[in-house]
Amino acid sequence: MREMADHGVRILLKPDDNKPRKLKYNLGHRRILTFGGAYSNHIRAVAAAGQAHGIETVGIIRGEEHLPLNPTLAHAVSCGMRLGYLDRAAYRLKHTPAVQAGLLERYGEAAILPEGGSNAAAVRGCAELPAEITEEYDVICCAVGTGGTLAGVSAGLPEGRRAIGFPVLKGGGFLAGEVERLQREAYGRVWDNWRLETGYHFGGYARTTPELDAFAARHGVERVYVAKMLYGVLDLAAKGAFPRGTRVIALVTSGIPA
């Protein structure tokens, strides 16, 4: 675990691949169908888990097929995943009963995982993370894409600890409702020990700026998720948002070597 310090705040970078956590309680099925973009880490992770556990996997990819396959999709296919494609208009409706019924008719009965893997089972997997941290801390910070990791971390926090999520999407305030929904689905209640910081998206999902690129390179972190979160943590520390002496765990959930 790497340690940093800024404006009297102790910051520990904890590598933790959240994909296996999200999948841990989602693997008890013969076939899994899920969704993602052409470079989706979730697609890659589901394919690898399917191969490891003898589960058939189907990945529905946003957009048109492009050959040759990029490294992410080529890896998924090498793990035995069957790929399908939805144009962007249809993909926006992927959560609807009509679209899902059509997919199940085409690919066979399957457990459907949402894009990013965030559902009640994923929340329960992510909730196990805080208990594994042996260092003393006051706050856990994480990037937020779909809300599952933050929902689980918040649910698993010991009394008196807090969580802060940094949405990577522009206009990410709506994710507060997603975190609450996921906690209700997993546990029947909502925790009040978390909040969102929505000002560090740098233009939106997969968007970046020269400043963020330089920051990611300087700190050796992945830029789509982790750099935005870590930039936000350091900026909040500089602005005095954390009392001096606060101990922050910053989760490095992407860019971890396989």
Side-chain angles (χ1 to χ4, degrees):
M1 190 178 293
R2 195 167 120 213
E3 182 172 346
M4 308 169 64
D6 197 74
H7 294 83
V9 177
R10 183 184 183 218
I11 302 165
L12 295 172
L13 274 63
K14 174 177 172 51
D16 193 276
D17 188 350
N18 60 354
K19 294 297 186 286
R21 293 186 186 278
K22 287 184 172 183
L23 292 175
K24 180 177 180 178
Y25 298 115
N26 272 304
L27 296 178
H29 308 282
R30 184 176 69 84
R31 180 184 294 121
I32 292 174
L33 183 148
T34 194
F35 305 87
Y39 293 89
S40 167
N41 288 330
H42 171 66
I43 289 290
R44 187 184 183 97
V46 170
Q51 182 182 50
H53 295 275
I55 300 169
E56 295 180 31
T57 57
V58 179
I60 304 302
I61 309 304
R62 180 180 63 250
E64 306 298 327
E65 181 181 29
H66 293 283
L67 297 175
L69 297 175
N70 68 40
T72 296
L73 298 184
H75 175 78
V77 170
S78 75
C79 290
M81 176 174 274
R82 185 179 179 187
L83 299 181
Y85 297 84
L86 288 177
D87 63 56
R88 293 177 182 275
Y91 193 85
R92 285 193 290 270
L93 301 175
K94 63 186 179 297
H95 61 285
T96 62
V99 170
Q100 294 191 357
L103 291 172
L104 294 180
E105 182 177 355
R106 180 174 181 181
Y107 295 104
E109 286 301 313
I112 296 179
L113 295 188
E115 184 175 24
S118 290
N119 59 11
V123 171
R124 292 194 292 272
C126 291
E128 297 175 353
L129 188 157
E132 299 172 11
I133 298 175
T134 57
E135 292 80 3
E136 292 294 325
Y137 68 93
D138 303 293
V139 182
I140 294 182
C141 295
C142 65
V144 179
T146 54
T149 299
L150 178 60
V153 166
S154 161
L157 284 177
E159 191 69 28
R161 309 301 197 276
R162 296 175 290 125
I164 304 174
F166 294 79
V168 300
L169 306 171
K170 188 175 183 179
F174 76 93
L175 287 163
E178 286 297 293
V179 173
E180 293 176 352
R181 178 184 65 81
L182 288 165
Q183 289 187 334
R184 286 194 189 94
E185 289 181 0
Y187 298 105
R189 58 163 291 192
V190 172
W191 279 258
D192 61 1
N193 57 3
W194 60 274
R195 74 174 195 268
L196 295 179
E197 287 286 346
T198 60
Y200 299 98
H201 55 75
F202 287 85
Y205 181 74
R207 298 290 182 87
T208 186
T209 65
E211 180 185 16
L212 184 67
D213 288 342
F215 178 88
R218 184 163 65 252
H219 293 285
V221 294
E222 175 273 334
R223 66 181 185 174
V224 175
Y225 290 92
V226 179
K228 295 179 179 183
M229 176 273 300
L230 185 58
Y231 187 102
V233 171
L234 293 174
D235 189 55
L236 291 176
K239 292 176 178 177
F242 300 115
R244 293 187 67 85
T246 297
R247 299 159 297 184
V248 176
I249 299 288
L251 297 181
V252 180
T253 52
S254 298
I256 300 171

